[in-house]
Amino acid sequence: MDRLDNTVRPYAWGSTTAIPHLLGIEPTGEPQAEMWMGAHPGAPSRTARGTLVEIIDADPERELGAPTLTKFGPRLPFLLKILAAGAPLSLQVHPDLAQARKGYEDEERRGVPLDAPHRNYKDANHKPELICALTEFDGLCGFRAPAHAADLLEGLGVDSLEPYVDILRAQPEEAALREVLTAILTADRDEMAHTVAAAAAACDRLLGAYTPYAGIAHHYPGDPGVIAAMLLNHVRLQPGEALFLGAGIPHAYLDGLGVEIMANSDNVLRCGLTSKHVDVPELLRVVRFEPADPGVLRPEAAPDGEEVYDTPIDEFRLSRHVLPPDAPAHDLTLPTPQILLCTAGTVRADDHTLTPGTSVFVPAGHKAEVTGPGTVFRATVVA
């Protein structure tokens, strides 16, 4: 079992206080957005034996176990993060596996550098993800029913939004959402900036259901993504609740602290709320224009006390254990690789004492016993 030393990413949207507060350290005044735990080559976790990438490369079968190695190859299939949003993230979607492979191969063939700002596909993998709230957590997830989106836009009283309202009311649902999102993202930037400014002023005046969009407009004045965001469901998670984001589902995280797990990929196609590249044709090819309830997940209790967040993919499996004081050691041994992350209290994992924000990597089949009092999240795979 290896204690992990993890990189914190200072993205501009990150909270300046949430991760330091979790870790019990003084804030630096700089944003601290994500703490990565895993073997992603962009920021692999470090251990006394080397980086997690180096450890797995040296002996994949020992670290991952034969079932994981056979199913996913010689790599850790998931990336675990603590995510701390102090401002809205970009409005984005992720490709499915076939789209990612095709897009990656195409950009490789065309010689687009991996670090090029207009590169869409950093790797050939998909990126389904799950976010579990540690605090109240606000986000956008999936399309609203077009009729509800039309009501929201119409309520702003902005004349230049009326054509979108008419389309949302008149067209079949999928066609309406596609046509309106396309129109928003391809509109004249100056004209759209005036529309966004008028919509933002109305949001500030009306508040209520418009409050999240007033906040978004404050951070991204004039960005067409402010209007696109109103096509999506607003969700507020309570601690312990989660959202699963599958391929093609537009989403954005707005505010809060959570545990995030995803397939080990960095493929993002952006719709707005960003100064980065937006590839509208590729985005429209990937987005699923299907209105749906965001589907808030609550953990399902297993007989051994494990609380599992059920998702339809195999690259990751997230669960948590709330360990009471003075309880006997809890055996977490699995034939698959694990990362154990403490988020509350003090957890003893073999010879390691874990406090909030600290984590260990457990090789496949390695005996893992934990005691509390505290809360530990377990990330592993389905192999």
Side-chain angles (χ1 to χ4, degrees):
M1 189 180 294
D2 298 281
R3 190 180 187 91
L4 299 179
D5 178 16
N6 303 305
T7 296
V8 175
R9 296 283 194 152
Y11 305 138
W13 50 261
S15 168
T16 59
T17 58
I19 289 178
H21 178 74
L22 181 71
L23 296 173
I25 60 176
E26 287 295 316
T28 65
E30 298 299 317
Q32 298 188 31
E34 295 180 348
M35 185 166 73
W36 288 23
M37 291 159 279
H40 191 285
S45 298
R46 300 169 295 277
T47 78
R49 295 193 286 153
T51 71
L52 208 48
V53 170
E54 293 167 342
I55 290 172
I56 292 170
D57 285 349
D59 194 343
E61 186 164 356
R62 178 185 181 277
E63 304 298 333
L64 302 177
T68 302
L69 182 61
T70 299
K71 190 167 186 176
F72 300 107
R75 61 184 181 86
L76 190 66
F78 63 83
L79 176 63
L80 184 67
K81 300 179 181 179
I82 293 174
L83 183 146
L89 283 67
S90 61
L91 190 59
Q92 60 189 256
V93 296
H94 306 303
D96 64 25
L97 190 56
Q99 290 165 339
R101 287 173 175 168
K102 183 177 179 180
Y104 179 78
E105 290 168 1
D106 175 64
E107 290 186 321
E108 286 289 281
R109 185 175 62 252
R110 291 190 286 117
V112 181
L114 272 176
D115 59 355
H118 62 286
R119 174 112 188 193
N120 292 317
Y121 296 95
K122 309 295 186 183
D123 52 67
N125 200 17
H126 63 164
K127 193 189 176 188
E129 61 189 39
L130 177 80
I131 183 77
C132 177
L134 294 177
T135 64
E136 276 199 345
F137 194 98
D138 279 293
L140 305 173
C141 178
F143 286 109
R144 300 173 182 269
H148 295 162
D151 291 343
L152 195 69
L153 292 177
E154 188 174 42
L156 292 170
V158 176
D159 289 345
S160 53
L161 292 176
E162 284 303 314
Y164 303 151
V165 173
D166 292 342
I167 294 167
L168 290 167
R169 296 203 192 284
Q171 299 287 342
E173 289 188 333
E174 181 176 336
L177 292 169
R178 179 181 291 275
E179 186 171 347
V180 171
L181 183 62
T182 303
I184 291 169
L185 297 182
T186 57
D188 179 86
R189 295 289 295 195
D190 292 336
E191 292 180 5
M192 179 54 70
H194 288 299
T195 297
V196 172
C203 288
D204 282 333
R205 183 179 69 254
L206 295 166
L207 296 179
Y210 295 96
T211 300
Y213 309 102
I216 293 169
H218 172 76
H219 287 286
Y220 297 98
D223 192 305
V226 174
I227 306 302
M230 295 188 191
L231 302 177
L232 306 187
N233 298 296
H234 172 247
V235 185
R236 173 165 290 174
L237 300 178
Q238 297 303 312
E241 295 180 335
L243 286 175
F244 173 72
L245 291 313
I249 304 299
H251 62 278
Y253 303 143
L254 305 181
D255 183 73
L257 181 70
V259 174
E260 185 182 34
I261 189 168
M262 61 195 64
N264 197 359
S265 172
D266 199 25
N267 284 326
V268 176
L269 291 158
R270 295 175 177 86
C271 316
L273 311 182
T274 181
S275 59
K276 295 181 178 179
H277 176 63
V278 177
D279 184 336
V280 175
E282 186 65 12
L283 172 72
L284 296 175
R285 193 178 71 83
V286 168
V287 172
R288 293 172 57 187
F289 290 96
E290 301 170 1
D293 183 276
V296 174
L297 294 177
R298 294 170 181 85
E300 299 178 4
D304 63 354
E306 184 179 33
E307 299 175 325
V308 181
Y309 294 90
D310 188 36
T311 59
I313 53 94
D314 292 345
E315 281 88 344
F316 61 76
R317 178 183 184 273
L318 185 71
S319 62
R320 71 176 182 180
H321 290 262
V322 180
L323 304 166
D326 304 321
H330 203 81
D331 187 0
L332 299 187
T333 307
L334 286 176
T336 51
Q338 306 180 66
I339 291 178
L340 305 180
L341 165 67
C342 176
T343 59
T346 302
V347 174
R348 188 73 179 171
D350 288 2
D351 295 331
H352 301 277
T353 299
L354 303 181
T355 53
T358 59
S359 54
V360 291
F361 173 71
V362 186
H366 184 94
K367 189 169 182 60
E369 291 187 339
V370 294
T371 56
T375 299
V376 63
F377 280 80
R378 171 161 73 174
T380 187
V381 303
V382 179

